[in-house]
Amino acid sequence: MAARVHIRHEMAIRRLTVSHIEQLTPSMVRVTLIGDALNDFASSGPTDHVKVFFPDPVTGVLTVPELRGDGIHRPTSGVIISRDYTPQQFRPAPFGAAELDLDFVLHSPTAAHGNPKDPAGGGPASAWAAAAQPGDEIAVAGPRGSREAPQDVAEAVLIADETALPSFTRWLDLLPETTRITALLDVADEEVEPYLSAEQLARASVEWLYREDGPGQLEEAVRSLELGPDVYVWAAGEASALIPVRRYLKHEAELRPDQLDVQGYWKRGVVNRDHHEPIDPSDPD
Ligand SMILES: Cc1cc2nc3c(=O)[nH]c(=O)nc-3n(C[C@H](O)[C@H](O)[C@H](O)COP(=O)(O)OP(=O)(O)OC[C@H]3O[C@@H](n4cnc5c(N)ncnc54)[C@H](O)[C@@H]3O)c2cc1C
């Protein structure tokens, strides 16, 4: 049984300031946030997420819900724009400014450093990250809870596209050293590879799959894995691409529910997809 302990965190909505921007690859940027509100930030699960609130691209005004004793309240005016992101690294600083890193995939072709290789993309979060400057303000809600990495599995398979690479790096940090990790990383092309350090690459047996080489590679790679009876599999990325992967793992490989976690982090053509929706409506969890 691959048990993942669940911890709840007190809800907080934090207004934060951009302190640093780092272009990690041509299509990924790391935004470092600071602010006193981070002092009690906590995130201990590899798949934790925060809700990030962005300024209205038309007016530049940042509208954020208010947290009061009786719950979360929407302001009476302003446009709320929010998307889900992974707290990739949090550096508490007892005597200085705590820092939170969020890694953004740039998929907006119209953004300053947008990815021209994905002309179908575009969205306020990606556009904001591509143009972000030190001093810019955003707000971050959560995480509401953390589902910790299982500490009792001998073998884990991690499947991720670019949006799930921040979670993937957290898995590498949070799985016990005794867990053998196989990773299938489904990315646009080889330009994404520098996202991972040599140390991170050494922690897992990594196979890179380039979408520019054609469709169907991910399913084929998953089908060719030799899965042990108690393997734990986590997969996250574009929801439609994960449907055949999930079908195979659930129905043909017959993994138990506690061995399998498949999450649609976004869906082609869908704005701000709710990740609580089943990735395969014909076969929900
Ligand atoms: C739990 C969780 C954690 C996540 N963590 C991260 C993270 O750490 N880093 C990260 O970059 N993303 C992450 N995502 C995904 C991110 O929330 C979505 O990609 C989001 O839709 C981006 O918002 P947007 O405003 O840029 O685009 P939207 O306004 O939501 O969408 C506009 C258009 O862009 C398309 N689109 C959205 N995302 C992409 C993409 N990546 N590539 C190509 N087209 C896209 C949509 O299909 C739509 O057609 C996470 C999602 C979840 C559920």
Side-chain angles (χ1 to χ4, degrees):
M1 175 102 179
R4 290 184 65 183
V5 174
H6 189 254
I7 294 173
R8 290 207 71 77
H9 303 300
E10 196 165 324
M11 185 54 182
I13 303 176
R14 301 173 168 90
R15 284 184 179 257
L16 303 172
T17 305
V18 174
S19 71
H20 187 70
I21 315 278
E22 185 184 356
Q23 190 84 36
L24 302 170
T25 73
S27 63
M28 293 191 74
V29 73
R30 175 161 298 160
V31 176
T32 301
L33 300 165
I34 53 170
D36 291 345
L38 279 174
N39 289 342
D40 60 353
F41 185 87
S43 167
S44 55
T47 52
D48 289 0
H49 68 279
V50 289
K51 202 160 265 307
V52 183
F53 295 86
F54 300 95
D56 180 344
V58 178
T59 61
V61 175
L62 175 63
T63 306
V64 182
E66 239 184 81
L67 191 62
R68 297 191 216 128
D70 59 344
I72 296 172
H73 294 261
R74 295 176 73 88
T76 47
S77 63
V79 180
I80 294 182
I81 299 172
S82 68
R83 299 287 186 270
D84 293 324
Y85 281 83
T86 303
Q88 196 272 337
Q89 278 278 326
F90 173 61
R91 291 176 292 281
F95 305 112
E99 294 184 322
L100 174 66
D101 291 338
L102 302 180
D103 292 351
F104 291 81
V105 175
L106 306 180
H107 62 93
S108 171
T110 53
H113 314 289
N115 183 4
K117 290 183 180 165
D118 192 355
S126 164
W128 177 87
Q133 299 288 334
D136 287 354
E137 292 193 351
I138 53 174
V140 169
R144 283 180 165 225
S146 295
R147 275 183 77 211
E148 300 200 331
Q151 298 298 301
D152 53 355
V153 291
E155 181 192 359
V157 173
L158 306 175
I159 300 168
D161 77 356
E162 288 92 332
T163 62
L165 285 176
S167 286
F168 171 69
T169 61
R170 297 212 60 194
W171 277 107
L172 296 182
D173 287 344
L174 294 168
L175 278 167
E177 278 177 19
T178 47
T179 303
R180 199 170 63 253
I181 304 175
T182 301
L184 299 177
L185 303 179
D186 176 40
V187 298
D189 54 39
E190 65 182 5
E191 289 189 337
V192 181
E193 287 189 26
Y195 178 82
L196 295 180
S197 67
E199 198 186 359
Q200 287 168 330
L201 285 167
R203 174 68 186 88
S205 166
V206 174
E207 184 178 352
W208 293 96
L209 306 166
Y210 304 134
R211 290 190 298 274
E212 66 173 7
D213 292 342
Q217 296 176 70
L218 182 59
E219 184 185 352
E220 202 180 305
V222 172
R223 284 179 175 274
S224 69
L225 292 171
E226 279 180 31
L227 302 171
D230 288 316
V231 66
Y232 182 78
V233 182
W234 170 80
E238 202 279 325
S240 308
L242 291 175
I243 291 176
V245 169
R246 179 174 172 276
R247 279 191 189 143
Y248 167 72
L249 292 168
K250 188 175 169 187
H251 298 296
E252 292 186 52
E254 296 184 335
L255 297 192
R256 300 183 309 267
D258 68 288
Q259 287 180 282
L260 183 61
D261 182 12
V262 183
Q263 297 287 331
Y265 272 16
W266 63 286
K267 186 169 181 178
R268 195 163 292 282
V270 176
V271 171
N272 192 20
R273 176 180 184 273
D274 177 357
H275 70 111
H276 297 106
E277 283 176 17
I279 66 163
D280 186 352
S282 69
D283 179 21
D285 279 324

